[in-house]
Short mmCIF file of all heavy atoms in Angstrom, two decimals:
data_model
loop_
_atom_site.label_atom_id
_atom_site.label_comp_id
_atom_site.label_asym_id
_atom_site.label_seq_id
_atom_site.Cartn_x
_atom_site.Cartn_y
_atom_site.Cartn_z
N MET A 1 0.65 9.34 -5.39
CA MET A 1 0.37 7.92 -5.22
C MET A 1 -0.17 7.34 -6.51
O MET A 1 -1.05 7.92 -7.13
CB MET A 1 -0.66 7.74 -4.11
CG MET A 1 -0.99 6.29 -3.86
SD MET A 1 -2.57 6.07 -3.01
CE MET A 1 -2.38 7.11 -1.60
N ALA A 2 0.34 6.22 -6.91
CA ALA A 2 -0.15 5.61 -8.13
C ALA A 2 -0.80 4.25 -7.88
O ALA A 2 -1.64 3.84 -8.65
CB ALA A 2 0.98 5.46 -9.11
N PHE A 3 -0.42 3.61 -6.79
CA PHE A 3 -1.01 2.31 -6.50
C PHE A 3 -1.68 2.35 -5.12
O PHE A 3 -1.17 2.97 -4.19
CB PHE A 3 0.04 1.19 -6.54
CG PHE A 3 0.42 0.85 -7.94
CD1 PHE A 3 1.39 1.58 -8.60
CD2 PHE A 3 -0.23 -0.17 -8.63
CE1 PHE A 3 1.72 1.30 -9.92
CE2 PHE A 3 0.10 -0.46 -9.93
CZ PHE A 3 1.08 0.28 -10.58
N GLN A 4 -2.83 1.68 -5.04
CA GLN A 4 -3.57 1.71 -3.80
C GLN A 4 -4.24 0.35 -3.57
O GLN A 4 -4.67 -0.29 -4.53
CB GLN A 4 -4.64 2.79 -3.88
CG GLN A 4 -5.36 3.07 -2.59
CD GLN A 4 -6.29 4.26 -2.74
OE1 GLN A 4 -7.17 4.27 -3.60
NE2 GLN A 4 -6.08 5.29 -1.94
N ILE A 5 -4.32 -0.06 -2.32
CA ILE A 5 -5.01 -1.31 -1.97
C ILE A 5 -6.44 -0.96 -1.56
O ILE A 5 -6.66 -0.02 -0.79
CB ILE A 5 -4.26 -2.05 -0.85
CG1 ILE A 5 -2.92 -2.54 -1.40
CG2 ILE A 5 -5.08 -3.22 -0.33
CD1 ILE A 5 -2.01 -3.21 -0.39
N THR A 6 -7.38 -1.72 -2.08
CA THR A 6 -8.79 -1.43 -1.87
C THR A 6 -9.40 -2.37 -0.84
O THR A 6 -8.72 -3.26 -0.31
CB THR A 6 -9.57 -1.58 -3.19
OG1 THR A 6 -9.72 -2.97 -3.47
CG2 THR A 6 -8.87 -0.89 -4.34
N ASP A 7 -10.70 -2.20 -0.61
CA ASP A 7 -11.38 -3.04 0.38
C ASP A 7 -11.62 -4.47 -0.11
O ASP A 7 -12.21 -5.28 0.59
CB ASP A 7 -12.69 -2.40 0.85
CG ASP A 7 -13.68 -2.19 -0.27
OD1 ASP A 7 -13.41 -2.61 -1.42
OD2 ASP A 7 -14.75 -1.61 0.00
N ARG A 8 -11.14 -4.79 -1.28
CA ARG A 8 -11.19 -6.18 -1.76
C ARG A 8 -10.03 -7.00 -1.21
O ARG A 8 -9.96 -8.22 -1.39
CB ARG A 8 -11.19 -6.22 -3.29
CG ARG A 8 -12.41 -5.51 -3.89
CD ARG A 8 -12.47 -5.72 -5.38
NE ARG A 8 -12.70 -7.10 -5.71
CZ ARG A 8 -13.90 -7.61 -6.00
NH1 ARG A 8 -14.94 -6.84 -6.01
NH2 ARG A 8 -14.02 -8.88 -6.29
N CYS A 9 -9.09 -6.35 -0.57
CA CYS A 9 -7.94 -7.04 0.03
C CYS A 9 -8.40 -8.02 1.10
O CYS A 9 -9.24 -7.70 1.94
CB CYS A 9 -7.00 -6.00 0.64
SG CYS A 9 -5.66 -6.71 1.61
N THR A 10 -7.83 -9.24 1.04
CA THR A 10 -8.16 -10.26 2.04
C THR A 10 -6.99 -10.49 3.01
O THR A 10 -6.98 -11.47 3.75
CB THR A 10 -8.50 -11.59 1.35
OG1 THR A 10 -7.38 -11.99 0.56
CG2 THR A 10 -9.73 -11.45 0.47
N ALA A 11 -6.01 -9.61 2.97
CA ALA A 11 -4.87 -9.68 3.87
C ALA A 11 -4.12 -11.00 3.75
O ALA A 11 -3.69 -11.59 4.74
CB ALA A 11 -5.30 -9.42 5.32
N CYS A 12 -3.94 -11.46 2.51
CA CYS A 12 -3.28 -12.76 2.29
C CYS A 12 -1.76 -12.67 2.44
O CYS A 12 -1.09 -13.66 2.54
CB CYS A 12 -3.63 -13.29 0.90
SG CYS A 12 -2.76 -12.44 -0.44
N ASP A 13 -1.22 -11.48 2.40
CA ASP A 13 0.21 -11.21 2.61
C ASP A 13 1.09 -11.51 1.40
O ASP A 13 2.32 -11.49 1.50
CB ASP A 13 0.75 -11.96 3.83
CG ASP A 13 2.02 -11.32 4.37
OD1 ASP A 13 2.04 -10.09 4.55
OD2 ASP A 13 3.01 -12.05 4.59
N ALA A 14 0.51 -11.79 0.24
CA ALA A 14 1.33 -12.11 -0.92
C ALA A 14 2.10 -10.89 -1.44
O ALA A 14 3.26 -11.00 -1.86
CB ALA A 14 0.46 -12.68 -2.04
N CYS A 15 1.49 -9.75 -1.40
CA CYS A 15 2.12 -8.57 -2.00
C CYS A 15 3.24 -7.99 -1.14
O CYS A 15 4.19 -7.42 -1.67
CB CYS A 15 1.07 -7.50 -2.27
SG CYS A 15 0.16 -6.96 -0.81
N ARG A 16 3.13 -8.13 0.15
CA ARG A 16 4.11 -7.46 1.03
C ARG A 16 5.55 -7.92 0.77
O ARG A 16 6.42 -7.09 0.51
CB ARG A 16 3.72 -7.66 2.50
CG ARG A 16 4.53 -6.86 3.48
CD ARG A 16 4.13 -7.15 4.90
NE ARG A 16 4.17 -8.56 5.21
CZ ARG A 16 5.29 -9.22 5.51
NH1 ARG A 16 6.43 -8.57 5.58
NH2 ARG A 16 5.26 -10.51 5.75
N PRO A 17 5.83 -9.23 0.76
CA PRO A 17 7.21 -9.64 0.48
C PRO A 17 7.61 -9.46 -0.98
O PRO A 17 8.80 -9.48 -1.29
CB PRO A 17 7.22 -11.12 0.89
CG PRO A 17 5.81 -11.55 0.85
CD PRO A 17 4.99 -10.35 1.17
N ALA A 18 6.64 -9.30 -1.86
CA ALA A 18 6.95 -9.14 -3.29
C ALA A 18 7.43 -7.74 -3.63
O ALA A 18 8.08 -7.53 -4.65
CB ALA A 18 5.71 -9.49 -4.13
N CYS A 19 7.13 -6.79 -2.80
CA CYS A 19 7.48 -5.40 -3.10
C CYS A 19 8.97 -5.16 -2.87
O CYS A 19 9.47 -5.40 -1.77
CB CYS A 19 6.66 -4.46 -2.21
SG CYS A 19 7.12 -2.72 -2.47
N PRO A 20 9.67 -4.69 -3.89
CA PRO A 20 11.12 -4.51 -3.77
C PRO A 20 11.54 -3.36 -2.87
O PRO A 20 12.70 -3.28 -2.47
CB PRO A 20 11.57 -4.29 -5.22
CG PRO A 20 10.37 -3.78 -5.93
CD PRO A 20 9.18 -4.38 -5.23
N VAL A 21 10.63 -2.48 -2.54
CA VAL A 21 11.01 -1.34 -1.70
C VAL A 21 10.25 -1.32 -0.37
O VAL A 21 10.20 -0.30 0.31
CB VAL A 21 10.80 -0.01 -2.46
CG1 VAL A 21 11.74 0.09 -3.65
CG2 VAL A 21 9.35 0.17 -2.91
N THR A 22 9.67 -2.45 -0.01
CA THR A 22 8.89 -2.60 1.23
C THR A 22 7.89 -1.47 1.45
O THR A 22 7.82 -0.89 2.53
CB THR A 22 9.82 -2.75 2.48
OG1 THR A 22 10.64 -1.60 2.59
CG2 THR A 22 10.66 -3.99 2.35
N ALA A 23 7.13 -1.22 0.40
CA ALA A 23 6.12 -0.16 0.49
C ALA A 23 4.79 -0.68 1.03
O ALA A 23 3.94 0.11 1.40
CB ALA A 23 5.90 0.46 -0.89
N VAL A 24 4.64 -2.02 1.06
CA VAL A 24 3.36 -2.57 1.52
C VAL A 24 3.44 -2.82 3.02
O VAL A 24 4.38 -3.44 3.52
CB VAL A 24 3.04 -3.90 0.81
CG1 VAL A 24 1.70 -4.45 1.30
CG2 VAL A 24 2.99 -3.69 -0.71
N GLU A 25 2.46 -2.31 3.75
CA GLU A 25 2.45 -2.52 5.19
C GLU A 25 1.19 -3.27 5.59
O GLU A 25 0.13 -3.09 5.01
CB GLU A 25 2.57 -1.21 5.94
CG GLU A 25 1.50 -0.20 5.63
CD GLU A 25 1.73 1.12 6.34
OE1 GLU A 25 2.64 1.21 7.17
OE2 GLU A 25 0.99 2.07 6.04
N LYS A 26 1.35 -4.10 6.62
CA LYS A 26 0.21 -4.84 7.15
C LYS A 26 -0.74 -3.85 7.78
O LYS A 26 -0.33 -2.95 8.50
CB LYS A 26 0.67 -5.81 8.24
CG LYS A 26 1.27 -7.08 7.72
CD LYS A 26 1.53 -8.03 8.87
CE LYS A 26 2.19 -9.29 8.37
NZ LYS A 26 2.46 -10.25 9.45
N GLY A 27 -2.01 -4.05 7.48
CA GLY A 27 -3.01 -3.22 8.12
C GLY A 27 -4.00 -4.09 8.85
O GLY A 27 -3.94 -5.30 8.79
N SER A 28 -4.90 -3.48 9.51
CA SER A 28 -5.92 -4.24 10.22
C SER A 28 -7.29 -3.64 9.94
O SER A 28 -7.61 -2.59 10.46
CB SER A 28 -5.62 -4.21 11.71
OG SER A 28 -6.58 -4.96 12.41
N PRO A 29 -8.08 -4.27 9.07
CA PRO A 29 -7.83 -5.58 8.46
C PRO A 29 -7.16 -5.48 7.10
O PRO A 29 -6.69 -6.49 6.59
CB PRO A 29 -9.25 -6.14 8.29
CG PRO A 29 -10.09 -4.91 8.02
CD PRO A 29 -9.46 -3.81 8.80
N LEU A 30 -7.12 -4.32 6.50
CA LEU A 30 -6.61 -4.21 5.13
C LEU A 30 -5.16 -3.80 5.11
O LEU A 30 -4.69 -3.05 5.97
CB LEU A 30 -7.43 -3.17 4.35
CG LEU A 30 -8.94 -3.39 4.32
CD1 LEU A 30 -9.60 -2.28 3.51
CD2 LEU A 30 -9.28 -4.75 3.76
N TYR A 31 -4.46 -4.28 4.09
CA TYR A 31 -3.10 -3.84 3.87
C TYR A 31 -3.11 -2.47 3.21
O TYR A 31 -4.13 -2.01 2.70
CB TYR A 31 -2.37 -4.85 2.98
CG TYR A 31 -1.84 -6.05 3.73
CD1 TYR A 31 -2.60 -6.67 4.71
CD2 TYR A 31 -0.58 -6.55 3.45
CE1 TYR A 31 -2.11 -7.77 5.40
CE2 TYR A 31 -0.08 -7.65 4.13
CZ TYR A 31 -0.84 -8.25 5.11
OH TYR A 31 -0.36 -9.34 5.78
N ALA A 32 -1.96 -1.84 3.20
CA ALA A 32 -1.88 -0.51 2.59
C ALA A 32 -0.54 -0.34 1.91
O ALA A 32 0.45 -1.00 2.27
CB ALA A 32 -2.05 0.56 3.66
N ILE A 33 -0.52 0.52 0.91
CA ILE A 33 0.72 0.86 0.23
C ILE A 33 1.13 2.26 0.67
O ILE A 33 0.34 3.20 0.58
CB ILE A 33 0.53 0.80 -1.30
CG1 ILE A 33 0.31 -0.65 -1.73
CG2 ILE A 33 1.75 1.38 -2.02
CD1 ILE A 33 -0.03 -0.83 -3.20
N LYS A 34 2.34 2.36 1.18
CA LYS A 34 2.82 3.67 1.62
C LYS A 34 3.10 4.53 0.39
O LYS A 34 4.01 4.22 -0.40
CB LYS A 34 4.10 3.52 2.44
CG LYS A 34 3.91 2.75 3.73
CD LYS A 34 5.24 2.66 4.47
CE LYS A 34 5.33 1.37 5.23
NZ LYS A 34 6.70 1.03 5.63
N ALA A 35 2.34 5.57 0.25
CA ALA A 35 2.43 6.41 -0.94
C ALA A 35 3.80 7.06 -1.09
O ALA A 35 4.27 7.31 -2.19
CB ALA A 35 1.34 7.47 -0.92
N ASP A 36 4.45 7.32 0.03
CA ASP A 36 5.75 8.01 -0.05
C ASP A 36 6.89 7.03 -0.28
O ASP A 36 8.03 7.46 -0.46
CB ASP A 36 5.99 8.81 1.23
CG ASP A 36 5.90 7.96 2.49
OD1 ASP A 36 5.24 6.90 2.46
OD2 ASP A 36 6.49 8.36 3.50
N VAL A 37 6.61 5.74 -0.27
CA VAL A 37 7.66 4.74 -0.48
C VAL A 37 7.52 4.05 -1.84
O VAL A 37 8.50 3.78 -2.52
CB VAL A 37 7.65 3.69 0.65
CG1 VAL A 37 8.72 2.63 0.42
CG2 VAL A 37 7.83 4.36 2.01
N CYS A 38 6.29 3.76 -2.24
CA CYS A 38 6.04 3.10 -3.53
C CYS A 38 6.60 3.96 -4.67
O CYS A 38 6.33 5.15 -4.76
CB CYS A 38 4.54 2.92 -3.72
SG CYS A 38 4.08 2.33 -5.37
N ASN A 39 7.40 3.32 -5.49
CA ASN A 39 7.97 4.04 -6.65
C ASN A 39 7.38 3.51 -7.96
O ASN A 39 7.97 3.68 -9.02
CB ASN A 39 9.49 3.95 -6.65
CG ASN A 39 9.99 2.54 -6.85
OD1 ASN A 39 9.19 1.61 -7.02
ND2 ASN A 39 11.29 2.35 -6.85
N ASP A 40 6.24 2.87 -7.85
CA ASP A 40 5.53 2.31 -9.01
C ASP A 40 6.32 1.20 -9.69
O ASP A 40 6.05 0.85 -10.83
CB ASP A 40 5.20 3.38 -10.06
CG ASP A 40 4.31 4.47 -9.50
OD1 ASP A 40 3.90 4.37 -8.35
OD2 ASP A 40 4.04 5.44 -10.25
N CYS A 41 7.34 0.66 -9.01
CA CYS A 41 8.24 -0.31 -9.62
C CYS A 41 8.81 0.24 -10.94
O CYS A 41 9.00 -0.51 -11.91
CB CYS A 41 7.55 -1.64 -9.86
SG CYS A 41 7.38 -2.63 -8.36
N SER A 42 9.09 1.50 -10.93
CA SER A 42 9.56 2.15 -12.16
C SER A 42 10.91 1.61 -12.61
O SER A 42 11.28 1.73 -13.77
CB SER A 42 9.65 3.66 -11.94
OG SER A 42 10.41 3.95 -10.80
N ASP A 43 11.65 0.99 -11.68
CA ASP A 43 12.96 0.45 -12.04
C ASP A 43 12.94 -1.08 -12.12
O ASP A 43 13.98 -1.71 -12.18
CB ASP A 43 14.00 0.89 -11.01
CG ASP A 43 13.60 0.54 -9.59
OD1 ASP A 43 12.44 0.12 -9.37
OD2 ASP A 43 14.44 0.69 -8.69
N VAL A 44 11.75 -1.67 -12.12
CA VAL A 44 11.63 -3.13 -12.14
C VAL A 44 11.18 -3.59 -13.51
O VAL A 44 10.14 -3.15 -14.01
CB VAL A 44 10.63 -3.62 -11.07
CG1 VAL A 44 10.41 -5.11 -11.17
CG2 VAL A 44 11.13 -3.24 -9.68
N LEU A 45 11.94 -4.49 -14.08
CA LEU A 45 11.58 -5.03 -15.39
C LEU A 45 10.26 -5.79 -15.28
O LEU A 45 10.07 -6.59 -14.37
CB LEU A 45 12.70 -5.98 -15.86
CG LEU A 45 12.68 -6.37 -17.33
CD1 LEU A 45 12.90 -5.14 -18.22
CD2 LEU A 45 13.73 -7.42 -17.61
N GLY A 46 9.36 -5.53 -16.17
CA GLY A 46 8.08 -6.24 -16.17
C GLY A 46 6.98 -5.55 -15.39
O GLY A 46 5.86 -6.03 -15.36
N GLY A 47 7.30 -4.45 -14.74
CA GLY A 47 6.26 -3.66 -14.09
C GLY A 47 6.02 -4.03 -12.64
O GLY A 47 6.78 -4.80 -12.06
N PRO A 48 4.99 -3.49 -12.08
CA PRO A 48 4.71 -3.64 -10.66
C PRO A 48 4.65 -5.08 -10.20
O PRO A 48 3.94 -5.90 -10.76
CB PRO A 48 3.34 -2.96 -10.51
CG PRO A 48 3.30 -1.98 -11.61
CD PRO A 48 4.05 -2.61 -12.76
N ARG A 49 5.37 -5.39 -9.14
CA ARG A 49 5.43 -6.76 -8.61
C ARG A 49 4.20 -7.10 -7.79
O ARG A 49 3.83 -8.26 -7.68
CB ARG A 49 6.66 -6.89 -7.70
CG ARG A 49 7.95 -6.82 -8.49
CD ARG A 49 8.79 -8.05 -8.23
NE ARG A 49 9.99 -8.01 -9.03
CZ ARG A 49 11.19 -7.87 -8.52
NH1 ARG A 49 11.34 -7.74 -7.23
NH2 ARG A 49 12.22 -7.87 -9.30
N CYS A 50 3.59 -6.12 -7.19
CA CYS A 50 2.47 -6.43 -6.28
C CYS A 50 1.23 -6.90 -7.04
O CYS A 50 0.49 -7.74 -6.54
CB CYS A 50 2.13 -5.21 -5.42
SG CYS A 50 1.79 -3.70 -6.35
N ILE A 51 1.01 -6.37 -8.21
CA ILE A 51 -0.23 -6.69 -8.95
C ILE A 51 -0.30 -8.18 -9.33
O ILE A 51 -1.30 -8.84 -9.04
CB ILE A 51 -0.33 -5.81 -10.23
CG1 ILE A 51 -0.41 -4.34 -9.83
CG2 ILE A 51 -1.51 -6.25 -11.09
CD1 ILE A 51 -1.77 -3.77 -9.62
N PRO A 52 0.70 -8.76 -9.98
CA PRO A 52 0.56 -10.15 -10.42
C PRO A 52 0.49 -11.18 -9.29
O PRO A 52 -0.02 -12.27 -9.51
CB PRO A 52 1.78 -10.38 -11.32
CG PRO A 52 2.74 -9.31 -10.99
CD PRO A 52 1.93 -8.15 -10.50
N VAL A 53 0.99 -10.85 -8.11
CA VAL A 53 0.94 -11.84 -7.03
C VAL A 53 -0.36 -11.77 -6.23
O VAL A 53 -0.64 -12.65 -5.42
CB VAL A 53 2.14 -11.69 -6.06
CG1 VAL A 53 3.45 -11.89 -6.79
CG2 VAL A 53 2.11 -10.37 -5.33
N CYS A 54 -1.13 -10.75 -6.46
CA CYS A 54 -2.38 -10.59 -5.69
C CYS A 54 -3.48 -11.48 -6.27
O CYS A 54 -3.79 -11.39 -7.45
CB CYS A 54 -2.82 -9.13 -5.71
SG CYS A 54 -4.38 -8.87 -4.82
N PRO A 55 -4.08 -12.34 -5.44
CA PRO A 55 -5.10 -13.26 -5.94
C PRO A 55 -6.49 -12.63 -6.05
O PRO A 55 -7.40 -13.26 -6.59
CB PRO A 55 -5.11 -14.36 -4.88
CG PRO A 55 -4.70 -13.66 -3.62
CD PRO A 55 -3.73 -12.58 -4.04
N GLU A 56 -6.66 -11.44 -5.54
CA GLU A 56 -7.98 -10.82 -5.53
C GLU A 56 -8.07 -9.73 -6.59
O GLU A 56 -7.38 -8.71 -6.50
CB GLU A 56 -8.27 -10.19 -4.15
CG GLU A 56 -8.24 -11.18 -3.01
CD GLU A 56 -9.31 -12.25 -3.13
OE1 GLU A 56 -10.39 -11.94 -3.66
OE2 GLU A 56 -9.04 -13.38 -2.70
N ALA A 57 -8.94 -9.95 -7.57
CA ALA A 57 -9.11 -8.95 -8.63
C ALA A 57 -9.58 -7.64 -8.02
O ALA A 57 -10.51 -7.62 -7.21
CB ALA A 57 -10.12 -9.46 -9.64
N GLY A 58 -8.91 -6.59 -8.38
CA GLY A 58 -9.34 -5.27 -7.92
C GLY A 58 -8.84 -4.89 -6.54
O GLY A 58 -9.20 -3.83 -6.02
N ALA A 59 -8.01 -5.74 -5.92
CA ALA A 59 -7.53 -5.39 -4.58
C ALA A 59 -6.39 -4.38 -4.63
O ALA A 59 -6.19 -3.62 -3.68
CB ALA A 59 -7.09 -6.65 -3.84
N ILE A 60 -5.64 -4.39 -5.72
CA ILE A 60 -4.61 -3.37 -5.91
C ILE A 60 -4.94 -2.65 -7.21
O ILE A 60 -5.05 -3.28 -8.26
CB ILE A 60 -3.20 -3.97 -6.00
CG1 ILE A 60 -2.89 -4.80 -4.75
CG2 ILE A 60 -2.14 -2.86 -6.15
CD1 ILE A 60 -1.56 -5.54 -4.81
N ILE A 61 -5.11 -1.37 -7.11
CA ILE A 61 -5.49 -0.61 -8.31
C ILE A 61 -4.45 0.44 -8.63
O ILE A 61 -3.73 0.93 -7.76
CB ILE A 61 -6.87 0.04 -8.16
CG1 ILE A 61 -6.90 0.96 -6.93
CG2 ILE A 61 -7.97 -1.01 -8.05
CD1 ILE A 61 -8.18 1.80 -6.85
N HIS A 62 -4.38 0.76 -9.88
CA HIS A 62 -3.47 1.79 -10.36
C HIS A 62 -4.26 3.07 -10.53
O HIS A 62 -5.23 3.12 -11.27
CB HIS A 62 -2.86 1.36 -11.70
CG HIS A 62 -1.79 2.29 -12.16
ND1 HIS A 62 -1.54 2.55 -13.50
CD2 HIS A 62 -0.89 3.03 -11.46
CE1 HIS A 62 -0.53 3.41 -13.60
NE2 HIS A 62 -0.12 3.69 -12.39
N LEU A 63 -3.87 4.08 -9.81
CA LEU A 63 -4.57 5.35 -9.90
C LEU A 63 -3.84 6.26 -10.86
O LEU A 63 -2.61 6.34 -10.83
CB LEU A 63 -4.61 6.02 -8.52
CG LEU A 63 -5.29 5.26 -7.40
CD1 LEU A 63 -5.11 6.01 -6.09
CD2 LEU A 63 -6.76 5.05 -7.72
N PRO A 64 -4.58 6.96 -11.68
CA PRO A 64 -3.91 7.93 -12.54
C PRO A 64 -3.28 9.03 -11.69
O PRO A 64 -3.81 9.39 -10.64
CB PRO A 64 -5.04 8.47 -13.42
CG PRO A 64 -6.31 8.00 -12.82
CD PRO A 64 -6.01 6.91 -11.85
N LYS A 65 -2.16 9.53 -12.13
CA LYS A 65 -1.50 10.60 -11.40
C LYS A 65 -2.37 11.85 -11.45
O LYS A 65 -2.94 12.17 -12.47
CB LYS A 65 -0.13 10.90 -12.01
CG LYS A 65 0.80 9.72 -11.90
CD LYS A 65 2.04 10.09 -11.16
CE LYS A 65 2.97 8.88 -11.13
NZ LYS A 65 3.83 8.89 -9.98
N ALA A 66 -2.46 12.52 -10.31
CA ALA A 66 -3.30 13.71 -10.25
C ALA A 66 -2.63 14.86 -10.99
O ALA A 66 -1.44 14.92 -11.09
CB ALA A 66 -3.54 14.09 -8.81
S1 SF4 B 101 4.05 -0.89 -7.41
FE1 SF4 B 101 6.03 -1.82 -6.83
S2 SF4 B 101 6.90 -0.39 -5.33
FE2 SF4 B 101 4.70 0.05 -5.45
S3 SF4 B 101 3.76 -1.22 -3.84
FE3 SF4 B 101 3.67 -2.39 -5.77
S4 SF4 B 101 5.50 -3.69 -5.70
FE4 SF4 B 101 5.81 -2.03 -4.22
S1 SF4 B 102 -1.82 -9.65 -2.32
FE1 SF4 B 102 -3.82 -8.59 -2.60
S2 SF4 B 102 -5.24 -9.63 -1.17
FE2 SF4 B 102 -3.14 -10.18 -0.58
S3 SF4 B 102 -2.58 -8.68 1.05
FE3 SF4 B 102 -1.88 -7.87 -0.95
S4 SF4 B 102 -3.56 -6.56 -1.69
FE4 SF4 B 102 -4.39 -7.87 -0.07
#
């Protein structure tokens, strides 16, 4: 897993439709990124789509690969 949604998420729903591989799932109350589906937007020009659309600083974080 390289991207994770934190407890700063306000469930605004901006990231879910922005993800090209539908890796973001609605949670209650927090959203989550499916680790087995997220491909880090490795094939998307400009990098991860979920980060720039998120209005909450720190709600989506990039984790270093273990
Ligand atoms: S990094 Fe890309 S593939 Fe992963 S959750 Fe964000 S938008 Fe989706
Ligand atoms: S865009 Fe950010 S605040 Fe909105 S649902 Fe996604 S992670 Fe949560």
Side-chain angles (χ1 to χ4, degrees):
M1 181 200 307
F3 285 85
Q4 189 174 56
I5 292 176
T6 75
D7 61 4
R8 299 187 65 97
C9 172
T10 58
C12 75
D13 202 48
C15 58
R16 188 182 54 80
C19 177
V21 295
T22 60
V24 180
E25 58 184 352
K26 281 187 183 181
S28 181
L30 305 180
Y31 278 42
I33 292 174
K34 296 180 212 163
D36 56 337
V37 179
C38 172
N39 66 1
D40 300 356
C41 283
S42 53
D43 54 350
V44 175
L45 195 64
R49 292 236 177 112
C50 54
I51 298 269
V53 299
C54 179
E56 300 297 327
I60 303 175
I61 57 171
H62 188 212
L63 300 174
K65 296 238 182 208

